[in-house]
Amino acid sequence: MRSTRIAISVAMLGALALPMVAATTATAAPASAASRVSASRPCDRLGPWVIGTKAVTIRSKASAKSTAVGVLYRGQKFIVHKSSGGWHYITDTSTGVTGWVSGTYVYRTVYMCLDD
């Protein structure tokens, strides 16, 4: 049992150290290699806004105590107009309702570039 724990711990440490080794290798590349990479790669752009829970309440003000004016459900499309103090002013594209949602539950997806 103890040897299994040690083996798992060693594997975890190895997995955690791998990104650091890869980062050191990547930063050691010549400057000319960096200039060949296009800054406008599709994976460098910001992703769409998504809901990270089953539903989020749309509120009239950027406060958890303000009046609820609607609900956004996971997978529903919406537009973020501005952000302030951890809240986002949005428009629900299916109903046209506008209001504030907490940034705790709404975020942008992240793309990851995998270089050859």
Side-chain angles (χ1 to χ4, degrees):
M1 181 72 158
R2 185 179 183 117
S3 62
T4 304
R5 288 184 189 166
I6 292 171
I8 291 172
S9 298
V10 169
M12 296 278 293
L13 286 173
L16 292 173
L18 184 62
M20 293 188 331
V21 171
T24 335
T25 306
T27 55
S32 61
S35 64
R36 287 181 287 175
V37 177
S38 171
S40 62
R41 297 181 300 178
C43 56
D44 289 335
R45 72 189 189 286
L46 294 173
W49 289 90
V50 295
I51 300 167
T53 187
K54 290 181 181 179
V56 176
T57 304
I58 304 171
R59 303 209 172 259
S60 60
K61 297 179 183 176
S63 166
K65 295 181 180 180
S66 66
T67 307
V69 295
V71 177
L72 276 176
Y73 295 99
R74 182 181 292 157
Q76 206 167 338
K77 302 231 185 270
F78 59 98
I79 299 168
V80 175
H81 301 287
K82 64 180 178 178
S83 300
S84 176
W87 288 80
H88 304 292
Y89 186 73
I90 62 100
T91 298
D92 179 350
T93 55
S94 61
T95 63
V97 172
T98 61
W100 293 87
V101 294
S102 172
T104 304
Y105 307 108
V106 175
Y107 57 90
R108 291 198 95 151
T109 56
V110 177
Y111 291 104
M112 182 171 66
C113 296
L114 299 174
D115 294 329
D116 294 332

